[in-house]
Amino acid sequence: MCGIVGYSGAQDAAPILLEGLKKLEYRGYDSAGIAVLNGNSITVSKVTGRIANLCEKTADGKNCPGTVGIGHTRWATHGAPTDTNAHPHLSNDGKFAVVHNGIVENYMSLREELIEKGYRFESQTDTEVIVHLIEMYYVGDLKKAVIKTSARLQGSYALGVVCTEEPQNVYVVRESSPLILGVGVGENYFASDVTALVSYTRNAIYLEDGEFAKITPDSITVFDPAGQPIQKKISRITWDIQSAEKGGYEHFMLKEIVEQPRAIKATIAPRIKDSEIVLDETELTADYLRSIHKIVITACGSAYYAGCAGKYAIEHLCHIPVQVELASELRYSNPLIDEHTLLIVLSQSGETADTIAAMKECKKRGAKTLAIVNVVGSTIAKTADETLYTWAGPEIAVATTKGYTTQLAVLYLFALYAAKKMNRLDDETYGKLLETLITLPKRIQETLDMNSAIPNLAKKYHTTGSMFFIGRNTDYAIALEGALKMKEISYIHAESYAAGELKHGTIALIDEHQPVIALCCNDSVMEKTMSNIVEVKARGAEVLAVTFKENQKIVSLADDVIFIPKVETIFSAAVEIIPLQLLAYYVAKENGCDIDKPKNLAKSVTVE
Ligand code: M6R
């Protein structure tokens, strides 16, 4: 939710800020702005809409001369997306500019206090209180003003601050919002994530909550919350530039769909040694795993749906109860969680506010936390007791694809690993299932290769106003994710339903205007779902079925069939979702939607 960048060096700052903002645009894209220091003045340029508008307004940065600056791309929380509400925000005396990602929870009382003291507000944002506080606390030392301001703020914030009195310096602060420093030679950077940095440097410093830093062209000094300098490790960024670019594809989403075999291989392969799963990044010992009474999985959106699919694998293999909870609900549910609970936290970004809060709540109650996260050094990765990274590489499209399937891959690895450690699986079955897991990337590649008809199916189904996704058991978990993909990028209403539940009311909605996507990849309930297909057909629905190529029976029941290769049921979700991602993509394309940046959404949901 919002992306921020900053630069201090010898080059013109504005083009570097604009390039960085383009990379961060997936985080929020309703308005944008930059502030560039030029001697003792600050040039601010802000626009409603995309970064392209900002490039146009600033003539690609040429209208904003200066070598130090900050930038912002916004996902509106407080105040509509307007030029005035766009960041950076300026102080009344014009000496300070601030960009902010996060939410200042106590902004109302701070705003009243500042108005009483005579400060004038231009915007409806929570952020504007920050720049007025800095002006109020500034007595010739920006560092002190930043410390005093931070102490007044409640909520989450990653800040970039510049001041005309210190024209080479950029101050940044991190509290519960991502912020990474880029270490260059004669120039330094900051950004909300590494994608904005990799074109310039591979050396990064990850700030912890409460830390802040002073960035100049020649130095980066990191301070603890009290203002004492601290030593920080410089980490190497391993993501390459190409993986954060479209590489010839029309959209990031399509590129990321196609990347899934590679991403899953990168996630699974390094963790298999001599035909054994080795999770030596964690301390999930046999003794510990045997001591737990239940597993709770928590996450939001697609990550939650990955948890729903993972539950089947873990319960089936480990014979331990698994509860899957929406993080936004779990955090306020007074959960029955103690030291005998393993909490698995799923998050692509590692920055989702509800997921972080649910994790902290469960930690407080004694649960051990295992994070499955894609972004290295993210808040969830750092807060969890144990972390298993998904090695998907940067995921730019707002709709997750490879982020979701690599989460499934790690859940499958965990399920098999834990089952073995807990003595719930004989060696032969373990060996066979491991073999299936290793071949998942191949099966996904075959699925991609055999589904060239999906663009044509999209032409048939794209005009509908609403559709149903039905399935049972693992197929139901996939129906949930398939419907979300369709909704978020094509804006077509899509409802996922447990196939057996239709007759308890919802079937009243089924008619010739409601196409039904029927998922039939779970052998144990396939016949049952096929009966449901017959029932919806009898009420006039067009049915598009997804099934294994061996299931030719379905051809006479459904109007259209998408075939996928046969995969062991507990791992089938990772293959079954592929055609649904493609269907959503091509339907959205038919409808002329902005596929990578759907309306009202943002990639990283750092607000509650
Ligand atoms: O970064 P996270 O995995 O924590 O994000 C969770 C959800 O916001 C995310 O999966 C969202 O539902 C996606 N846009 C779905 O494609």
mmCIF file of all heavy atoms in Angstrom, residues 277 309 312-314 317 408-409 411-416 425 429-430 432-440 443-444 474 478 521 548 567-577:
data_model
loop_
_atom_site.group_PDB
_atom_site.id
_atom_site.type_symbol
_atom_site.label_atom_id
_atom_site.label_comp_id
_atom_site.label_asym_id
_atom_site.label_seq_id
_atom_site.Cartn_x
_atom_site.Cartn_y
_atom_site.Cartn_z
ATOM 1 N N ILE A 277 13.676 -34.802 2.439
ATOM 2 C CA ILE A 277 13.408 -33.366 2.562
ATOM 3 C C ILE A 277 14.225 -32.836 3.730
ATOM 4 O O ILE A 277 14.164 -33.376 4.849
ATOM 5 C CB ILE A 277 11.911 -33.096 2.801
ATOM 6 C CG1 ILE A 277 11.102 -33.607 1.610
ATOM 7 C CG2 ILE A 277 11.654 -31.608 3.036
ATOM 8 C CD1 ILE A 277 9.613 -33.576 1.820
ATOM 9 N N ALA A 309 -5.959 -25.229 0.822
ATOM 10 C CA ALA A 309 -5.514 -26.405 0.051
ATOM 11 C C ALA A 309 -4.452 -27.179 0.837
ATOM 12 O O ALA A 309 -4.448 -28.416 0.851
ATOM 13 C CB ALA A 309 -4.963 -25.964 -1.297
ATOM 14 N N TYR A 312 -5.484 -29.929 3.514
ATOM 15 C CA TYR A 312 -5.769 -31.312 3.120
ATOM 16 C C TYR A 312 -4.484 -32.137 3.144
ATOM 17 O O TYR A 312 -4.468 -33.274 3.620
ATOM 18 C CB TYR A 312 -6.373 -31.350 1.712
ATOM 19 C CG TYR A 312 -7.773 -30.779 1.665
ATOM 20 C CD1 TYR A 312 -7.994 -29.483 1.246
ATOM 21 C CD2 TYR A 312 -8.865 -31.554 2.061
ATOM 22 C CE1 TYR A 312 -9.274 -28.953 1.206
ATOM 23 C CE2 TYR A 312 -10.149 -31.028 2.035
ATOM 24 C CZ TYR A 312 -10.345 -29.725 1.607
ATOM 25 O OH TYR A 312 -11.613 -29.206 1.579
ATOM 26 N N ALA A 313 -3.405 -31.562 2.618
ATOM 27 C CA ALA A 313 -2.147 -32.317 2.557
ATOM 28 C C ALA A 313 -1.634 -32.606 3.967
ATOM 29 O O ALA A 313 -1.228 -33.733 4.284
ATOM 30 C CB ALA A 313 -1.115 -31.529 1.759
ATOM 31 N N ILE A 314 -1.663 -31.589 4.831
ATOM 32 C CA ILE A 314 -1.090 -31.786 6.179
ATOM 33 C C ILE A 314 -1.937 -32.773 6.982
ATOM 34 O O ILE A 314 -1.415 -33.699 7.613
ATOM 35 C CB ILE A 314 -0.945 -30.437 6.918
ATOM 36 C CG1 ILE A 314 -0.044 -29.481 6.125
ATOM 37 C CG2 ILE A 314 -0.367 -30.644 8.312
ATOM 38 C CD1 ILE A 314 0.023 -28.055 6.672
ATOM 39 N N LEU A 317 -1.525 -36.357 5.608
ATOM 40 C CA LEU A 317 -0.222 -37.005 5.812
ATOM 41 C C LEU A 317 0.194 -37.057 7.279
ATOM 42 O O LEU A 317 0.810 -38.016 7.719
ATOM 43 C CB LEU A 317 0.870 -36.276 5.006
ATOM 44 C CG LEU A 317 0.704 -36.312 3.481
ATOM 45 C CD1 LEU A 317 1.790 -35.484 2.810
ATOM 46 C CD2 LEU A 317 0.759 -37.750 2.971
ATOM 47 N N LEU A 408 1.911 -23.223 -1.931
ATOM 48 C CA LEU A 408 1.445 -24.620 -1.908
ATOM 49 C C LEU A 408 2.642 -25.567 -1.863
ATOM 50 O O LEU A 408 2.649 -26.535 -1.097
ATOM 51 C CB LEU A 408 0.624 -24.924 -3.165
ATOM 52 C CG LEU A 408 -0.769 -24.310 -3.261
ATOM 53 C CD1 LEU A 408 -1.413 -24.703 -4.589
ATOM 54 C CD2 LEU A 408 -1.653 -24.761 -2.109
ATOM 55 N N ALA A 409 3.651 -25.255 -2.676
ATOM 56 C CA ALA A 409 4.824 -26.145 -2.739
ATOM 57 C C ALA A 409 5.479 -26.286 -1.364
ATOM 58 O O ALA A 409 5.842 -27.386 -0.940
ATOM 59 C CB ALA A 409 5.822 -25.621 -3.767
ATOM 60 N N LEU A 411 4.014 -25.766 1.550
ATOM 61 C CA LEU A 411 3.097 -26.506 2.438
ATOM 62 C C LEU A 411 3.199 -28.014 2.174
ATOM 63 O O LEU A 411 3.171 -28.823 3.105
ATOM 64 C CB LEU A 411 1.658 -26.019 2.232
ATOM 65 C CG LEU A 411 1.347 -24.645 2.826
ATOM 66 C CD1 LEU A 411 0.014 -24.108 2.312
ATOM 67 C CD2 LEU A 411 1.331 -24.686 4.357
ATOM 68 N N TYR A 412 3.315 -28.392 0.912
ATOM 69 C CA TYR A 412 3.449 -29.822 0.587
ATOM 70 C C TYR A 412 4.763 -30.371 1.159
ATOM 71 O O TYR A 412 4.790 -31.474 1.718
ATOM 72 C CB TYR A 412 3.451 -30.035 -0.932
ATOM 73 C CG TYR A 412 2.165 -29.651 -1.646
ATOM 74 C CD1 TYR A 412 2.172 -29.402 -3.015
ATOM 75 C CD2 TYR A 412 0.946 -29.552 -0.982
ATOM 76 C CE1 TYR A 412 1.024 -29.057 -3.702
ATOM 77 C CE2 TYR A 412 -0.212 -29.205 -1.655
ATOM 78 C CZ TYR A 412 -0.169 -28.953 -3.014
ATOM 79 O OH TYR A 412 -1.300 -28.600 -3.682
ATOM 80 N N LEU A 413 5.842 -29.586 0.985
ATOM 81 C CA LEU A 413 7.136 -30.012 1.543
ATOM 82 C C LEU A 413 7.021 -30.205 3.043
ATOM 83 O O LEU A 413 7.468 -31.216 3.598
ATOM 84 C CB LEU A 413 8.199 -28.933 1.296
ATOM 85 C CG LEU A 413 8.966 -28.917 -0.014
ATOM 86 C CD1 LEU A 413 9.782 -27.630 -0.107
ATOM 87 C CD2 LEU A 413 9.893 -30.125 -0.141
ATOM 88 N N PHE A 414 6.409 -29.213 3.691
ATOM 89 C CA PHE A 414 6.263 -29.276 5.140
ATOM 90 C C PHE A 414 5.435 -30.509 5.532
ATOM 91 O O PHE A 414 5.787 -31.232 6.482
ATOM 92 C CB PHE A 414 5.604 -28.000 5.685
ATOM 93 C CG PHE A 414 5.198 -28.132 7.116
ATOM 94 C CD1 PHE A 414 6.130 -27.969 8.130
ATOM 95 C CD2 PHE A 414 3.897 -28.483 7.470
ATOM 96 C CE1 PHE A 414 5.777 -28.142 9.464
ATOM 97 C CE2 PHE A 414 3.535 -28.656 8.791
ATOM 98 C CZ PHE A 414 4.480 -28.478 9.794
ATOM 99 N N ALA A 415 4.334 -30.745 4.812
ATOM 100 C CA ALA A 415 3.442 -31.861 5.164
ATOM 101 C C ALA A 415 4.204 -33.187 5.116
ATOM 102 O O ALA A 415 4.124 -34.009 6.041
ATOM 103 C CB ALA A 415 2.248 -31.883 4.218
ATOM 104 N N LEU A 416 4.963 -33.367 4.052
ATOM 105 C CA LEU A 416 5.709 -34.634 3.904
ATOM 106 C C LEU A 416 6.809 -34.745 4.953
ATOM 107 O O LEU A 416 7.011 -35.794 5.557
ATOM 108 C CB LEU A 416 6.365 -34.662 2.526
ATOM 109 C CG LEU A 416 5.738 -35.535 1.448
ATOM 110 C CD1 LEU A 416 6.587 -35.499 0.191
ATOM 111 C CD2 LEU A 416 5.586 -36.969 1.930
ATOM 112 N N LEU A 425 4.186 -41.889 8.368
ATOM 113 C CA LEU A 425 4.264 -42.286 6.963
ATOM 114 C C LEU A 425 5.336 -43.365 6.806
ATOM 115 O O LEU A 425 6.438 -43.210 7.321
ATOM 116 C CB LEU A 425 4.691 -41.043 6.169
ATOM 117 C CG LEU A 425 4.180 -40.851 4.753
ATOM 118 C CD1 LEU A 425 2.660 -40.946 4.700
ATOM 119 C CD2 LEU A 425 4.634 -39.487 4.242
ATOM 120 N N THR A 429 5.711 -45.022 0.947
ATOM 121 C CA THR A 429 4.752 -43.957 0.575
ATOM 122 C C THR A 429 5.477 -42.619 0.529
ATOM 123 O O THR A 429 5.257 -41.810 -0.379
ATOM 124 C CB THR A 429 3.593 -43.893 1.611
ATOM 125 O OG1 THR A 429 3.183 -45.215 1.889
ATOM 126 C CG2 THR A 429 2.441 -43.067 1.104
ATOM 127 N N TYR A 430 6.340 -42.385 1.524
ATOM 128 C CA TYR A 430 7.115 -41.137 1.552
ATOM 129 C C TYR A 430 7.889 -40.972 0.248
ATOM 130 O O TYR A 430 7.841 -39.926 -0.403
ATOM 131 C CB TYR A 430 8.065 -41.171 2.749
ATOM 132 C CG TYR A 430 9.012 -39.988 2.847
ATOM 133 C CD1 TYR A 430 8.600 -38.782 3.413
ATOM 134 C CD2 TYR A 430 10.328 -40.092 2.400
ATOM 135 C CE1 TYR A 430 9.474 -37.703 3.512
ATOM 136 C CE2 TYR A 430 11.206 -39.012 2.495
ATOM 137 C CZ TYR A 430 10.780 -37.832 3.061
ATOM 138 O OH TYR A 430 11.633 -36.763 3.157
ATOM 139 N N LYS A 432 7.379 -42.334 -2.680
ATOM 140 C CA LYS A 432 6.510 -42.135 -3.856
ATOM 141 C C LYS A 432 5.993 -40.696 -3.900
ATOM 142 O O LYS A 432 5.964 -40.054 -4.950
ATOM 143 C CB LYS A 432 5.307 -43.081 -3.774
ATOM 144 C CG LYS A 432 5.558 -44.433 -4.340
ATOM 145 C CD LYS A 432 4.226 -45.154 -4.511
ATOM 146 C CE LYS A 432 4.494 -46.622 -4.808
ATOM 147 N NZ LYS A 432 3.494 -47.489 -4.248
ATOM 148 N N LEU A 433 5.562 -40.204 -2.725
ATOM 149 C CA LEU A 433 5.007 -38.837 -2.692
ATOM 150 C C LEU A 433 6.087 -37.804 -2.983
ATOM 151 O O LEU A 433 5.843 -36.807 -3.659
ATOM 152 C CB LEU A 433 4.345 -38.568 -1.335
ATOM 153 C CG LEU A 433 3.039 -39.324 -1.113
ATOM 154 C CD1 LEU A 433 2.549 -39.143 0.324
ATOM 155 C CD2 LEU A 433 1.960 -38.864 -2.084
ATOM 156 N N LEU A 434 7.280 -38.074 -2.510
ATOM 157 C CA LEU A 434 8.380 -37.139 -2.766
ATOM 158 C C LEU A 434 8.653 -37.074 -4.270
ATOM 159 O O LEU A 434 8.869 -36.000 -4.841
ATOM 160 C CB LEU A 434 9.631 -37.582 -1.996
ATOM 161 C CG LEU A 434 10.804 -36.618 -2.048
ATOM 162 C CD1 LEU A 434 10.410 -35.229 -1.562
ATOM 163 C CD2 LEU A 434 11.956 -37.135 -1.183
ATOM 164 N N GLU A 435 8.605 -38.246 -4.896
ATOM 165 C CA GLU A 435 8.800 -38.297 -6.351
ATOM 166 C C GLU A 435 7.741 -37.435 -7.051
ATOM 167 O O GLU A 435 8.039 -36.655 -7.963
ATOM 168 C CB GLU A 435 8.685 -39.777 -6.777
ATOM 169 C CG GLU A 435 9.453 -40.159 -8.027
ATOM 170 C CD GLU A 435 10.800 -39.471 -8.152
ATOM 171 O OE1 GLU A 435 11.662 -39.570 -7.241
ATOM 172 O OE2 GLU A 435 10.957 -38.798 -9.171
ATOM 173 N N THR A 436 6.483 -37.551 -6.586
ATOM 174 C CA THR A 436 5.402 -36.746 -7.190
ATOM 175 C C THR A 436 5.691 -35.262 -7.013
ATOM 176 O O THR A 436 5.502 -34.467 -7.929
ATOM 177 C CB THR A 436 4.048 -37.066 -6.487
ATOM 178 O OG1 THR A 436 3.873 -38.463 -6.495
ATOM 179 C CG2 THR A 436 2.887 -36.384 -7.179
ATOM 180 N N LEU A 437 6.146 -34.920 -5.826
ATOM 181 C CA LEU A 437 6.421 -33.506 -5.524
ATOM 182 C C LEU A 437 7.529 -32.977 -6.449
ATOM 183 O O LEU A 437 7.414 -31.873 -7.005
ATOM 184 C CB LEU A 437 6.860 -33.414 -4.057
ATOM 185 C CG LEU A 437 6.754 -32.061 -3.381
ATOM 186 C CD1 LEU A 437 5.382 -31.467 -3.569
ATOM 187 C CD2 LEU A 437 7.042 -32.214 -1.881
ATOM 188 N N ILE A 438 8.555 -33.789 -6.633
ATOM 189 C CA ILE A 438 9.673 -33.360 -7.481
ATOM 190 C C ILE A 438 9.214 -33.149 -8.929
ATOM 191 O O ILE A 438 9.745 -32.294 -9.641
ATOM 192 C CB ILE A 438 10.831 -34.395 -7.401
ATOM 193 C CG1 ILE A 438 11.410 -34.409 -5.988
ATOM 194 C CG2 ILE A 438 11.924 -34.100 -8.418
ATOM 195 C CD1 ILE A 438 12.356 -35.553 -5.685
ATOM 196 N N THR A 439 8.212 -33.914 -9.338
ATOM 197 C CA THR A 439 7.784 -33.785 -10.744
ATOM 198 C C THR A 439 6.688 -32.725 -10.929
ATOM 199 O O THR A 439 6.227 -32.510 -12.046
ATOM 200 C CB THR A 439 7.276 -35.137 -11.308
ATOM 201 O OG1 THR A 439 6.275 -35.625 -10.415
ATOM 202 C CG2 THR A 439 8.379 -36.144 -11.434
ATOM 203 N N LEU A 440 6.287 -32.051 -9.858
ATOM 204 C CA LEU A 440 5.239 -31.011 -9.990
ATOM 205 C C LEU A 440 5.576 -29.948 -11.055
ATOM 206 O O LEU A 440 4.707 -29.591 -11.856
ATOM 207 C CB LEU A 440 5.004 -30.309 -8.654
ATOM 208 C CG LEU A 440 3.842 -30.787 -7.775
ATOM 209 C CD1 LEU A 440 3.666 -29.840 -6.595
ATOM 210 C CD2 LEU A 440 2.544 -30.896 -8.551
ATOM 211 N N ARG A 443 4.676 -31.279 -14.381
ATOM 212 C CA ARG A 443 3.214 -31.373 -14.577
ATOM 213 C C ARG A 443 2.626 -29.986 -14.870
ATOM 214 O O ARG A 443 1.731 -29.827 -15.671
ATOM 215 C CB ARG A 443 2.528 -31.956 -13.332
ATOM 216 C CG ARG A 443 2.940 -33.344 -12.917
ATOM 217 C CD ARG A 443 2.415 -34.419 -13.887
ATOM 218 N NE ARG A 443 3.377 -34.713 -14.927
ATOM 219 C CZ ARG A 443 4.416 -35.558 -14.821
ATOM 220 N NH1 ARG A 443 4.587 -36.227 -13.717
ATOM 221 N NH2 ARG A 443 5.247 -35.763 -15.829
ATOM 222 N N ILE A 444 3.171 -28.983 -14.193
ATOM 223 C CA ILE A 444 2.659 -27.625 -14.427
ATOM 224 C C ILE A 444 3.030 -27.166 -15.834
ATOM 225 O O ILE A 444 2.213 -26.567 -16.545
ATOM 226 C CB ILE A 444 3.183 -26.656 -13.343
ATOM 227 C CG1 ILE A 444 2.563 -27.047 -11.995
ATOM 228 C CG2 ILE A 444 2.853 -25.209 -13.687
ATOM 229 C CD1 ILE A 444 3.079 -26.273 -10.812
ATOM 230 N N THR A 474 -10.394 -30.909 -1.998
ATOM 231 C CA THR A 474 -9.299 -30.115 -2.576
ATOM 232 C C THR A 474 -9.799 -29.268 -3.746
ATOM 233 O O THR A 474 -9.320 -28.156 -3.974
ATOM 234 C CB THR A 474 -8.169 -31.033 -3.091
ATOM 235 O OG1 THR A 474 -8.773 -32.118 -3.777
ATOM 236 C CG2 THR A 474 -7.311 -31.543 -1.962
ATOM 237 N N ILE A 478 -9.558 -25.059 -4.508
ATOM 238 C CA ILE A 478 -9.154 -24.439 -5.778
ATOM 239 C C ILE A 478 -10.264 -23.530 -6.315
ATOM 240 O O ILE A 478 -10.005 -22.489 -6.922
ATOM 241 C CB ILE A 478 -8.785 -25.544 -6.793
ATOM 242 C CG1 ILE A 478 -7.447 -26.134 -6.390
ATOM 243 C CG2 ILE A 478 -8.705 -25.038 -8.211
ATOM 244 C CD1 ILE A 478 -6.336 -25.111 -6.269
ATOM 245 N N CYS A 521 -11.058 -32.846 -9.936
ATOM 246 C CA CYS A 521 -9.712 -33.442 -9.966
ATOM 247 C C CYS A 521 -9.434 -34.250 -8.711
ATOM 248 O O CYS A 521 -8.290 -34.618 -8.454
ATOM 249 C CB CYS A 521 -8.661 -32.355 -10.142
ATOM 250 S SG CYS A 521 -8.862 -31.430 -11.663
ATOM 251 N N PHE A 548 -8.876 -34.368 -15.004
ATOM 252 C CA PHE A 548 -7.723 -35.095 -15.542
ATOM 253 C C PHE A 548 -8.050 -35.619 -16.925
ATOM 254 O O PHE A 548 -9.209 -35.961 -17.209
ATOM 255 C CB PHE A 548 -7.387 -36.290 -14.653
ATOM 256 C CG PHE A 548 -7.003 -35.900 -13.260
ATOM 257 C CD1 PHE A 548 -7.544 -36.548 -12.166
ATOM 258 C CD2 PHE A 548 -6.090 -34.879 -13.059
ATOM 259 C CE1 PHE A 548 -7.175 -36.190 -10.878
ATOM 260 C CE2 PHE A 548 -5.717 -34.520 -11.769
ATOM 261 C CZ PHE A 548 -6.272 -35.173 -10.683
ATOM 262 N N VAL A 567 -2.416 -35.957 -11.302
ATOM 263 C CA VAL A 567 -1.465 -35.748 -10.208
ATOM 264 C C VAL A 567 -2.102 -36.294 -8.929
ATOM 265 O O VAL A 567 -3.323 -36.209 -8.761
ATOM 266 C CB VAL A 567 -1.182 -34.236 -10.020
ATOM 267 C CG1 VAL A 567 -0.271 -33.990 -8.837
ATOM 268 C CG2 VAL A 567 -0.566 -33.634 -11.264
ATOM 269 N N GLU A 568 -1.300 -36.867 -8.068
ATOM 270 C CA GLU A 568 -1.759 -37.321 -6.743
ATOM 271 C C GLU A 568 -2.648 -36.252 -6.104
ATOM 272 O O GLU A 568 -2.248 -35.071 -6.036
ATOM 273 C CB GLU A 568 -0.502 -37.582 -5.895
ATOM 274 C CG GLU A 568 -0.733 -37.870 -4.457
ATOM 275 C CD GLU A 568 -1.445 -39.188 -4.236
ATOM 276 O OE1 GLU A 568 -1.066 -40.173 -4.907
ATOM 277 O OE2 GLU A 568 -2.366 -39.195 -3.400
ATOM 278 N N THR A 569 -3.842 -36.643 -5.618
ATOM 279 C CA THR A 569 -4.840 -35.665 -5.155
ATOM 280 C C THR A 569 -4.288 -34.651 -4.153
ATOM 281 O O THR A 569 -4.571 -33.460 -4.265
ATOM 282 C CB THR A 569 -6.029 -36.405 -4.495
ATOM 283 O OG1 THR A 569 -6.576 -37.267 -5.476
ATOM 284 C CG2 THR A 569 -7.083 -35.441 -4.001
ATOM 285 N N ILE A 570 -3.500 -35.100 -3.174
ATOM 286 C CA ILE A 570 -3.086 -34.139 -2.142
ATOM 287 C C ILE A 570 -2.195 -33.031 -2.694
ATOM 288 O O ILE A 570 -2.073 -31.978 -2.085
ATOM 289 C CB ILE A 570 -2.396 -34.804 -0.915
ATOM 290 C CG1 ILE A 570 -1.313 -35.756 -1.358
ATOM 291 C CG2 ILE A 570 -3.396 -35.440 0.010
ATOM 292 C CD1 ILE A 570 -0.499 -36.243 -0.169
ATOM 293 N N PHE A 571 -1.597 -33.258 -3.852
ATOM 294 C CA PHE A 571 -0.750 -32.210 -4.455
ATOM 295 C C PHE A 571 -1.383 -31.586 -5.706
ATOM 296 O O PHE A 571 -0.739 -30.786 -6.395
ATOM 297 C CB PHE A 571 0.621 -32.780 -4.859
ATOM 298 C CG PHE A 571 1.411 -33.379 -3.727
ATOM 299 C CD1 PHE A 571 2.243 -34.465 -3.949
ATOM 300 C CD2 PHE A 571 1.344 -32.851 -2.435
ATOM 301 C CE1 PHE A 571 2.985 -35.025 -2.912
ATOM 302 C CE2 PHE A 571 2.084 -33.401 -1.400
ATOM 303 C CZ PHE A 571 2.898 -34.489 -1.634
ATOM 304 N N SER A 572 -2.616 -31.960 -6.017
ATOM 305 C CA SER A 572 -3.158 -31.581 -7.336
ATOM 306 C C SER A 572 -3.479 -30.094 -7.456
ATOM 307 O O SER A 572 -3.516 -29.540 -8.556
ATOM 308 C CB SER A 572 -4.399 -32.409 -7.662
ATOM 309 O OG SER A 572 -5.419 -32.100 -6.738
ATOM 310 N N ALA A 573 -3.705 -29.425 -6.309
ATOM 311 C CA ALA A 573 -4.118 -28.017 -6.359
ATOM 312 C C ALA A 573 -3.130 -27.171 -7.159
ATOM 313 O O ALA A 573 -3.524 -26.286 -7.929
ATOM 314 C CB ALA A 573 -4.255 -27.471 -4.942
ATOM 315 N N ALA A 574 -1.834 -27.466 -7.010
ATOM 316 C CA ALA A 574 -0.804 -26.641 -7.665
ATOM 317 C C ALA A 574 -0.894 -26.737 -9.186
ATOM 318 O O ALA A 574 -0.432 -25.844 -9.893
ATOM 319 C CB ALA A 574 0.584 -27.068 -7.194
ATOM 320 N N VAL A 575 -1.473 -27.826 -9.682
ATOM 321 C CA VAL A 575 -1.619 -27.990 -11.132
ATOM 322 C C VAL A 575 -2.988 -27.475 -11.573
ATOM 323 O O VAL A 575 -3.140 -26.784 -12.582
ATOM 324 C CB VAL A 575 -1.442 -29.479 -11.506
ATOM 325 C CG1 VAL A 575 -1.658 -29.687 -12.998
ATOM 326 C CG2 VAL A 575 -0.048 -29.948 -11.098
ATOM 327 N N GLU A 576 -3.988 -27.797 -10.776
ATOM 328 C CA GLU A 576 -5.386 -27.486 -11.119
ATOM 329 C C GLU A 576 -5.646 -25.983 -11.216
ATOM 330 O O GLU A 576 -6.513 -25.542 -11.962
ATOM 331 C CB GLU A 576 -6.237 -28.101 -10.002
ATOM 332 C CG GLU A 576 -7.671 -28.312 -10.324
ATOM 333 C CD GLU A 576 -8.360 -29.009 -9.144
ATOM 334 O OE1 GLU A 576 -7.657 -29.525 -8.237
ATOM 335 O OE2 GLU A 576 -9.593 -29.019 -9.134
ATOM 336 N N ILE A 577 -4.897 -25.203 -10.454
ATOM 337 C CA ILE A 577 -5.146 -23.759 -10.447
ATOM 338 C C ILE A 577 -4.667 -23.105 -11.751
ATOM 339 O O ILE A 577 -5.155 -22.035 -12.137
ATOM 340 C CB ILE A 577 -4.478 -23.083 -9.218
ATOM 341 C CG1 ILE A 577 -4.978 -21.644 -9.045
ATOM 342 C CG2 ILE A 577 -2.961 -23.091 -9.311
ATOM 343 C CD1 ILE A 577 -6.442 -21.465 -8.853
#
